[in-house]
Amino acid sequence: MDSSREKITLNVGGVRHETFPSILQAFPGTKLCRLTEPQAANVFDYDSNTKEFFFDRSPRLFGAVLNYYRTRHLHCPGDTCRSTFEEELAFWEISHVPVAPCCWWKVTNAESQWQAEGPLCDEGSEADSHSLPVPMERRNLSWRVRQQPKIWALFEKPFSSLPAKCLAVVALLFNIGIVIVFEEKSRAQIHHRYPLPIHDDLENKTHHEIHVFYQPANNFLYLELFCILWFTFEFSMRLTFCPDKKKFLTNPLNITDFLSLFPVYIELFLTGHISNMLSLLSWLGFFRALYTVKLLKTLRLLETPLMLRILPIAFHFILKEVFILMMVFSFEVLFFGALCYHADLQRPEAHFGGLIDSFYWAVVTLTTVGYGDMLAVSPFGKAIACCTAICGILTIIIPLPIFLIKFQGCYATAVLKEKMKSNKRRVPIKRYICPLLVNHKMAASKERIVLNVGGIRHETYCSTLRAFPGTKLCQLTEPSQGRAPLDYDPDTNEFFFDRSARLFSDVLNYYRTKHLHCPADVCKFLWEEELAFWEIPHAKLAPCCWMKLSNTEDPQEEFLLGDDSDNNEDSLALLGQVERRDYHLWALWQPKIWAVFEKPYSSTAAMCLMIISLLFNIGILILFFMEPTTYLDYHHFNDSVAYGIFHVALKDSFREAISLLYVELFCILWFTFEFSMRLIFCPNKKKFLTNPLNITDFLSLFPVYIELFLTGHRDEMLDILFWLGLLRALYIVKLLKIFRLLETPLMLRILPFAFRSILKEVFILLMVFTFEVLFFGALCYHAELLEPYSHFDGMLSSFYWAVVTLTTVGYGDMYAVSPFGKAIACCTAICGILTIIIPLPIFLIKFQGCYATAVLKEKMKSNKRST
């Protein structure tokens, strides 16, 4: 036989492969190529009886490696992690070769998982928490060393003890108090601008000069000093007993606390001279705005949800992308600002005093705020403004997938890390050292063991199974344990396990590589059950596979989504499928009447009743919209009439509307009858009375009855009529019942459940939004403090402006005038955009989980009906 056609046999993990030596010589210098050398039998594990080389590696991955020698193209299995494949190539001494283009996506699926491992571990906080209950024996330690972690926890960790929680509450009260004092003091010190008439002798004209009056507010200053003394004491104690001074002094919140201490001391030092230094007072106001940053410490008293905890980490991973997007945004500001400025340059009524004003206009337009203080005048300028607005929308929408993908990766990693921590606390991992082996044949380093798992034969070294003592596979190598309890076949010299062969290949590969990877298409609970069978702790999973096993945070709770067992029971009762032992009239008619008023598709009568109710809803809305028309016409007609005629006309106006009131009463009588019937025949009174729509129906019944009761005394009860008008607005909510006539899509039905699952996150985000309102409102108020024509007459108006700007509404009734105020307005608008964009992945992930659960429940229902 030709030696070139002689075959070489490779036993890789129990699976035999045959190939030609010429195939293995395709890549010189690799491990497989050296098998064709004459001395290979002495170097590698060669069995002269079977004439095969044995390698304790994964047979599935080796198939891709051997195919690389045959085809000269490197392909990767679809469910293999990149790190596992690279480690396999390194074992076979194959240098980094280009992967085939069809497999690029398979090996680039975990780019950020390894990066997420560090920050999400939160090792620093764990170290601090472990240092609190010091279990080690302390000998000859100073008082500072013993008490330092306790005092640090007292000021920094509110949930470490009851005194720490009380101290945190006291600090929170001081934070709220100093913000209130800051607002009242600003209002008391700077009084409104008064126009002082000044006569110009040269032009013989009189004009008005705007002047700012300063009045000391010593009472508020002393209250502020009292709060600052507390903050000084708190900052000093935290600085003295912090475990890491460098980390403490570089923390942005601690820097804010330090800078916020100076304004009061400076103002006390300049008492009597501050009235001549109003610009200094404005700068002190900027530093005082840092008081609002202290409110962020309120979040320490709350258990921050996992999704909010990983928001800053996800944002940290996209800093480079954010920086590039901000550069693109700056280019858009400069480009569109310059275009619009030159488009309106020749127009005398142009709003732009210079390029700086046009840049400010571009920022306000791109962020979709649009105050209206500056706008394009010429047709060409308006066309540019339209393009600017469209580009602003695209600038907001396009970066969303970037942040969403990063957030999903970080969230999947964090969910699994939390699960790993909980498993470490609850399940002790059994670890012990295997006894010394006395069987010399088993103790040999090259002794092999055969495992038959689900009919697939696997072969490995005994030394490989001893890598993790205490596991089930390690016990196979212990002679003292004996082989009687296990299914051992002495004829074939193999152990049999009735488990999944596909999953076992990854388990066995864990012993070989010390890295546990899981298949991509395996359910999380199935994989955890498999690991439990082999007694392998779940905490050993490689980071690149975390995303595969963290599909839902808590599937058991999400599976309860939309539990409509009551509805199913009602529907079964209507069809007569529920056995009823009590056949009296109430048990017979209660579900039927309830279905007539509540379920329009249960019968023809129910559908007719629903249509009648809908017509009454539309009719009462028409009456609600017609009745105020009388008041509007009257006010317009009597705009300049004396008070006496006003009173008579008002009474006549109401007499004209009395017919509408009786028609409205007719509709309300129907709604009263409908509400009473639904209340009487509902199966669950508590659930019915706590339903928001039913509460709305109940409150909307009162306005007509109260107004009829006050007939003849309406002109003396105008305030009550005003509140009755607000209650009548609840008529509009009744239109929501129109959705009962429509088949609501599944996605719309799960929206309330998804929103309910993130109520805690929404509450904390609203607190952060409140902080932004206080901070930017205070900044802009003090930036406009000395501006003669400022729109802000107090801190409350600046807070209103901040809300309008952060929500990108921009009414235009209030806006910044000074250059520094406009810069703050631009920052506020950009922060508003980020505040809207960043929480979107939270709701999206929750919605995806609820939607997947709801789809599964719908399939289960359809299967039950079909069977």
Side-chain angles (χ1 to χ4, degrees):
M1 181 181 292
D2 188 3
S3 60
S4 63
R5 307 305 298 173
E6 183 181 355
K7 290 182 288 187
I8 186 170
T9 305
L10 305 173
N11 183 350
V12 180
V15 178
R16 287 172 173 79
H17 303 265
E18 291 187 5
T19 185
F20 294 112
S22 59
I23 297 296
L24 301 183
Q25 293 171 356
F27 299 102
T30 60
K31 184 171 292 187
L32 289 178
C33 181
R34 295 209 305 270
L35 296 181
T36 61
E37 298 175 359
Q39 67 275 16
N42 300 325
V43 176
F44 298 99
D45 187 359
Y46 180 73
D47 190 345
S48 57
N49 296 326
T50 59
K51 295 183 179 181
E52 64 183 18
F53 291 94
F54 177 76
F55 293 95
D56 191 9
R57 303 300 296 180
S58 170
R60 183 170 56 89
L61 294 180
F62 179 73
V65 173
L66 187 59
N67 197 49
Y68 171 54
Y69 283 80
R70 292 167 175 158
T71 64
R72 308 298 191 273
H73 297 290
L74 183 60
H75 297 269
C76 173
D79 57 346
T80 301
C81 298
R82 180 178 59 182
S83 58
T84 305
F85 193 61
E86 290 177 350
E87 185 176 354
E88 193 70 17
L89 295 179
F91 174 83
W92 298 109
E93 299 177 359
I94 299 176
S95 59
H96 293 285
V97 294
V99 181
C102 57
C103 295
W104 285 349
W105 177 253
K106 300 176 185 178
V107 296
T108 57
N109 54 0
E111 181 182 355
S112 62
Q113 291 300 313
W114 296 95
Q115 300 174 357
E117 182 180 3
L120 290 175
C121 284
D122 198 13
E123 297 175 355
S125 60
E126 279 192 19
D128 292 340
S129 62
H130 293 329
S131 65
L132 294 178
V134 184
M136 297 182 300
E137 182 181 0
R138 297 181 177 274
R139 299 179 180 179
N140 300 326
L141 297 179
S142 63
W143 177 88
R144 175 182 172 82
V145 175
R146 293 195 306 270
Q147 300 299 326
Q148 183 267 340
K150 296 180 181 179
I151 299 177
W152 170 251
L154 192 66
F155 283 91
E156 195 69 18
K157 304 178 188 299
F159 290 100
S160 61
S161 63
L162 181 61
K165 188 177 293 185
C166 296
L167 202 65
V169 172
V170 171
L172 175 62
L173 294 177
F174 271 103
N175 284 328
I176 297 175
I178 201 170
V179 171
I180 296 174
V181 169
F182 171 49
E183 193 273 333
E184 294 296 330
K185 181 171 173 289
S186 301
R187 183 189 303 178
Q189 276 186 337
I190 303 298
H191 280 263
H192 298 289
R193 293 90 180 163
Y194 294 94
L196 301 177
I198 297 180
H199 185 74
D200 192 346
D201 296 332
L202 296 177
E203 299 183 1
N204 196 19
K205 293 181 180 179
T206 301
H207 59 87
H208 295 275
E209 179 182 354
I210 304 299
H211 188 67
V212 178
F213 286 94
Y214 169 79
Q215 181 178 351
N218 294 328
N219 295 333
F220 290 109
L221 183 61
Y222 294 144
L223 286 174
E224 188 179 7
L225 176 62
F226 175 69
C227 297
I228 287 297
L229 289 176
W230 163 262
F231 292 130
T232 305
F233 163 73
E234 183 188 27
F235 183 82
S236 303
M237 293 294 291
R238 292 171 60 237
L239 176 61
T240 303
F241 292 98
C242 69
D244 189 348
K245 298 290 190 295
K246 181 179 179 181
K247 185 178 180 180
F248 180 86
L249 293 175
T250 54
N251 190 319
L253 284 179
N254 296 332
I255 296 174
T256 299
D257 291 342
F258 179 70
L259 294 177
S260 63
L261 301 176
F262 288 98
V264 175
Y265 298 130
I266 294 175
E267 188 169 347
L268 284 173
F269 180 75
L270 297 175
T271 302
H273 306 283
I274 197 71
S275 58
N276 300 323
M277 306 170 67
L278 292 182
S279 59
L280 177 61
L281 184 66
S282 177
W283 284 104
L284 292 180
F286 285 121
F287 282 100
R288 281 189 169 100
L290 298 176
Y291 294 159
T292 58
V293 183
K294 291 177 175 288
L295 291 177
L296 286 178
K297 295 182 180 180
T298 310
L299 301 179
R300 293 181 182 175
L301 296 175
L302 303 175
E303 185 181 356
T304 309
L306 179 63
M307 283 193 170
L308 292 183
R309 276 187 277 143
I310 64 176
L311 269 180
I313 300 173
F315 188 78
H316 172 75
F317 285 143
I318 60 169
L319 280 180
K320 184 182 293 185
E321 290 87 344
V322 170
F323 176 74
I324 295 176
L325 288 172
M326 291 302 295
M327 290 181 62
V328 174
F329 181 79
S330 302
F331 155 75
E332 292 176 342
V333 169
L334 298 176
F335 178 71
F336 288 111
L339 275 183
C340 200
Y341 172 75
H342 288 91
D344 284 5
L345 189 61
Q346 303 298 327
R347 303 298 291 260
E349 68 274 17
H351 290 209
F352 306 126
L355 275 173
I356 301 298
D357 290 341
S358 65
F359 295 154
Y360 163 74
W361 166 86
V363 172
V364 170
T365 305
L366 287 168
T367 54
T368 70
V369 174
Y371 289 120
D373 53 337
M374 292 183 182
L375 45 93
V377 178
S378 64
F380 187 52
K382 292 179 180 179
I384 294 173
C386 295
C387 296
T388 308
I390 295 172
C391 286
I393 295 293
L394 296 177
T395 306
I396 295 171
I397 293 177
I398 288 176
L400 283 178
I402 299 175
F403 185 71
L404 176 61
I405 292 175
K406 290 289 185 179
F407 183 85
Q408 284 179 329
C410 292
Y411 178 67
T413 306
V415 166
L416 197 62
K417 286 214 167 195
E418 289 293 321
K419 190 174 182 64
M420 289 161 52
K421 289 180 183 178
S422 62
N423 289 342
K424 285 180 181 179
R425 299 189 197 103
R426 292 179 301 184
V427 182
I429 300 173
K430 182 173 64 174
R431 292 183 182 275
Y432 56 87
I433 301 176
C434 290
L436 295 176
L437 301 177
V438 295
N439 191 325
H440 299 290
K441 184 178 180 180
M442 291 286 288
S445 61
K446 295 299 182 180
E447 177 66 19
R448 293 184 229 164
I449 186 170
V450 181
L451 306 172
N452 184 349
V453 181
I456 304 299
R457 192 169 175 274
H458 301 267
E459 196 170 344
T460 185
Y461 293 120
C462 293
S463 58
T464 300
L465 300 184
R466 297 190 198 105
F468 298 102
T471 58
K472 183 170 291 189
L473 290 177
C474 179
Q475 297 173 14
L476 301 179
T477 63
E478 301 172 8
S480 59
Q481 300 291 333
R483 297 185 176 181
L486 300 175
D487 191 353
Y488 175 71
D489 188 352
D491 296 332
T492 58
N493 195 26
E494 66 183 19
F495 291 92
F496 176 76
F497 293 94
D498 191 8
R499 304 298 296 181
S500 169
R502 184 167 62 96
L503 296 180
F504 179 73
S505 62
D506 291 280
V507 172
L508 187 57
N509 201 45
Y510 170 50
Y511 285 80
R512 292 166 175 153
T513 64
K514 310 301 186 294
H515 299 292
L516 180 60
H517 299 269
C518 71
D521 55 346
V522 174
C523 177
K524 176 171 63 175
F525 304 104
L526 177 63
W527 178 246
E528 291 176 352
E529 184 179 354
E530 192 71 18
L531 295 180
F533 176 82
W534 298 109
E535 300 176 2
I536 298 175
H538 183 74
K540 292 292 184 180
L541 189 64
C544 56
C545 293
W546 287 348
M547 251 185 116
K548 303 175 185 177
L549 293 186
S550 53
N551 300 326
T552 55
E553 183 177 1
D554 198 348
Q556 290 85 358
E557 293 184 2
E558 287 185 359
F559 195 75
L560 299 177
L561 165 68
D563 190 7
D564 50 357
S565 57
D566 295 338
N567 298 334
N568 291 336
E569 185 178 352
D570 293 339
S571 59
L572 291 175
L574 290 175
L575 297 174
Q577 297 177 6
V578 175
E579 181 181 0
R580 295 185 177 272
R581 297 181 180 179
D582 190 3
Y583 288 98
H584 57 77
L585 292 178
W586 175 260
L588 184 63
W589 288 99
Q590 183 267 336
K592 295 181 179 180
I593 298 177
W594 169 250
V596 167
F597 281 91
E598 193 69 17
K599 301 176 181 180
Y601 288 99
S602 61
S603 63
T604 305
M607 178 63 72
C608 295
L609 201 66
M610 186 64 194
I611 294 175
I612 293 173
S613 180
L614 179 60
L615 293 177
F616 271 104
N617 281 326
I618 296 174
I620 202 170
L621 276 179
I622 295 174
L623 295 174
F624 173 62
F625 294 144
M626 285 177 58
E627 191 172 355
T629 309
T630 309
Y631 313 143
L632 294 175
D633 292 342
Y634 163 73
H635 283 296
H636 178 73
F637 180 77
N638 298 281
D639 193 18
S640 59
V641 183
Y643 176 76
I645 304 176
F646 173 86
H647 185 67
V648 175
L650 182 62
K651 291 169 63 176
D652 293 339
S653 146
F654 277 112
R655 289 196 188 98
E656 294 173 1
I658 197 70
S659 58
L660 298 178
L661 182 62
Y662 290 142
V663 178
E664 186 180 4
L665 175 62
F666 176 70
C667 297
I668 288 298
L669 288 175
W670 165 262
F671 292 131
T672 305
F673 163 74
E674 183 188 27
F675 182 82
S676 303
M677 294 295 289
R678 292 171 60 236
L679 177 61
I680 292 171
F681 292 97
C682 70
N684 190 337
K685 299 289 189 296
K686 181 179 178 181
K687 185 177 180 180
F688 180 86
L689 293 175
T690 54
N691 190 319
L693 285 178
N694 296 332
I695 295 173
T696 300
D697 291 342
F698 179 70
L699 293 177
S700 63
L701 301 177
F702 287 97
V704 175
Y705 296 132
I706 294 176
E707 189 170 345
L708 284 173
F709 180 75
L710 296 175
T711 304
H713 304 282
R714 304 184 199 190
D715 49 345
E716 288 87 9
M717 306 294 292
L718 292 179
D719 291 338
I720 294 181
L721 293 178
F722 166 75
W723 290 105
L724 293 180
L726 294 181
L727 284 177
R728 278 190 170 99
L730 297 177
Y731 295 160
I732 303 174
V733 183
K734 288 177 173 290
L735 281 180
L736 289 177
K737 294 182 180 179
I738 197 175
F739 291 112
R740 293 180 182 174
L741 295 174
L742 305 174
E743 185 179 357
T744 310
L746 180 62
M747 285 193 173
L748 292 181
R749 275 187 279 143
I750 65 176
L751 273 178
F753 295 98
F755 185 77
R756 190 186 306 166
S757 64
I758 60 168
L759 280 179
K760 185 180 292 185
E761 288 87 345
V762 170
F763 175 73
I764 295 178
L765 287 171
L766 286 177
M767 292 182 62
V768 175
F769 180 78
T770 304
F771 148 74
E772 292 178 342
V773 169
L774 297 176
F775 178 69
F776 287 110
L779 276 183
C780 200
Y781 172 75
H782 286 88
E784 301 282 300
L785 189 63
L786 303 180
E787 188 65 31
Y789 300 99
S790 174
H791 290 244
F792 306 123
D793 55 358
M795 291 279 283
L796 293 180
S797 60
S798 65
F799 295 155
Y800 162 77
W801 166 87
V803 172
V804 170
T805 304
L806 287 169
T807 53
T808 69
V809 175
Y811 289 119
D813 53 341
M814 290 184 181
Y815 48 83
V817 179
S818 64
F820 193 43
K822 290 180 179 179
I824 294 174
C826 294
C827 296
T828 308
I830 294 173
C831 285
I833 294 295
L834 295 177
T835 306
I836 295 172
I837 290 176
I838 288 177
L840 288 180
I842 297 178
F843 185 75
L844 180 59
I845 290 178
K846 285 290 185 181
F847 184 84
Q848 285 177 336
C850 293
Y851 180 69
T853 308
V855 168
L856 183 61
K857 293 197 73 174
E858 289 293 322
K859 291 181 178 179
M860 291 168 56
K861 289 180 183 178
S862 61
N863 291 337
K864 286 182 180 179
R865 296 190 194 102
S866 60
T867 56

